[in-house]
């Protein structure tokens, strides 16, 4: 699959010509100069309601008419703002797509909207396609569910937070990759704000030492994994 880093936990994935955008947060990101209105999107996947995962969701959804996958509470929040084509999922549930399927899985984190109201339980996704099953962790701590995903989901790629403070950091992400039985890791949720600034060279070394490949594409860069 083609993966373009749009900053923080926001990625553009291209699978079999279908455009997928995760956790849209571009316009407030000081490190991202890409216009959200230039992003192609057929499916948007939202892990939870925190501002750094949803800020550009309504604008991109209205601009592209994409389908949006989110939990019940985030889905209703989008519908209330006029977004069409919203697919409610809850944990364990899947939606069938042109490229395969997307399943909502657990994440250990919190989830609320900017005004403090409840945004449901935070999630990750298993994105299934002929280009490999990818685990998109969202914001999460290391958790033993990852062992189960490794045993049963036949993962080819995993997107893991590595910034520490609000999610797991590099050392736990290495353990996560081992539990996931997945060597192709894309790092996310780092360097956007001072508390999640990391030493990238050290992170790359730690993954490398464990025979894992950590990909840290710069914002705007596209890689094939
Ligand atoms: Ni969060
Ligand atoms: Mn976050």
């Amino acid at each position: 699959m083609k993966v373009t880093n749009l900053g923080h936990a926001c990625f553009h994935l291209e699978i079999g010509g279908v455009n997928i955008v995760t956790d849209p947060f571009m316009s407030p990101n000081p490190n991202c100069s890409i216009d959200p209105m230039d992003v192609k999107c057929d499916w948007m996947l939202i892990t939870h309601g925190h501002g750094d995962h949803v800020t550009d969701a309504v604008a991109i959804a209205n601009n592209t008419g994409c389908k949006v996958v989110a939990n019940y509470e985030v889905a209703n929040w989008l519908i209330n703002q006029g977004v069409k084509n919203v697919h409610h999922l809850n944990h364990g549930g899947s939606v069938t797509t042109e490229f395969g399927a997307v399943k909502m899985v657990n994440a250990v984190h919190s989830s609320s909207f900017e005004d403090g109201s409840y945004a449901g339980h935070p999630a990750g996704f298993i994105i299934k396609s002929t280009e490999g099953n990818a685990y998109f962790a969202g914001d999460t701590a290391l958790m033993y569910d990852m062992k189960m995903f490794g045993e049963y989901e036949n993962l080819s790629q995993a997107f893991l937070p590595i910034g520490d403070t609000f999610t797991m950091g590099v050392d736990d992400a290495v353990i996560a990759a081992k539990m996931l039985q997945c060597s192709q890791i894309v790092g996310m949720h780092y360097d956007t704000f001072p508390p999640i600034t990391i030493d990238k060279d050290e992170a790359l070394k730690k993954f490398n030492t464990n025979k894992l490949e950590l990909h840290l594409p710069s914002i705007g860069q596209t890689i094939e994994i």
Side-chain angles (χ1 to χ4, degrees):
M1 71 180 58
K2 268 193 197 147
V3 176
T4 304
N5 182 12
L6 301 178
H8 203 52
C10 184
F11 291 87
H12 174 271
L13 315 179
E14 192 190 323
I15 303 176
V18 182
N19 301 289
I20 302 155
V21 173
T22 62
D23 286 353
F25 173 74
M26 300 171 67
S27 55
N29 184 346
N31 302 325
C32 180
S33 53
I34 301 163
D35 186 342
M37 295 302 97
D38 291 339
V39 175
K40 287 184 189 163
C41 184
D42 301 305
W43 287 87
M44 183 187 297
L45 311 180
I46 299 178
T47 60
H48 65 295
H50 287 157
D52 58 322
H53 298 259
V54 300
T55 301
D56 292 320
V58 173
I60 294 175
N62 288 340
N63 185 47
T64 61
C66 67
K67 303 176 189 83
V68 186
V69 178
N71 75 10
Y72 183 78
E73 291 80 4
V74 173
N76 285 344
W77 177 79
L78 294 168
I79 289 166
N80 286 338
Q81 294 175 82
V83 177
K84 317 270 187 239
N85 296 323
V86 179
H87 288 253
H88 299 73
L89 280 186
N90 219 321
H91 298 76
S94 296
V95 58
T96 302
T97 65
E98 308 90 292
F99 55 84
V102 174
K103 179 160 78 172
M104 181 173 278
V105 296
N106 195 27
V108 174
H109 191 63
S110 63
S111 181
S112 53
F113 296 113
E114 292 287 89
D115 65 0
S117 63
Y118 179 60
H121 192 82
F125 294 105
I126 311 278
I127 303 163
K128 302 181 181 187
S129 79
T130 53
E131 297 186 15
N133 293 345
Y135 169 51
F136 187 85
D139 283 6
T140 187
L142 179 65
M143 58 174 182
Y144 214 64
D145 293 49
M146 292 167 179
K147 178 99 174 157
M148 176 175 71
F149 306 151
E151 284 181 28
Y152 295 104
E153 300 289 2
N154 190 25
L155 299 171
S156 300
Q157 308 93 356
F159 294 75
L160 302 178
I162 56 173
D164 212 331
T165 307
F166 307 118
T167 66
M168 61 184 173
V170 170
D171 291 335
D172 280 355
V174 167
I175 299 169
K178 290 178 182 175
M179 292 204 294
L180 293 163
Q181 300 178 30
C182 182
S183 64
Q184 296 300 310
I185 306 300
V186 180
M188 60 182 184
H189 216 274
Y190 65 93
D191 282 6
T192 317
F193 318 109
I196 61 171
T197 300
I198 65 161
D199 182 333
K200 288 191 279 296
D201 288 336
E202 193 187 323
L204 292 163
K205 257 184 225 149
K206 283 181 175 175
F207 275 79
N208 202 26
T209 303
N210 286 279
K211 298 191 171 60
L212 300 163
E213 196 169 351
L214 177 65
H215 300 274
L216 299 176
S218 53
I219 296 178
Q221 189 185 348
T222 302
I223 58 169
E224 180 99 34
I225 53 168

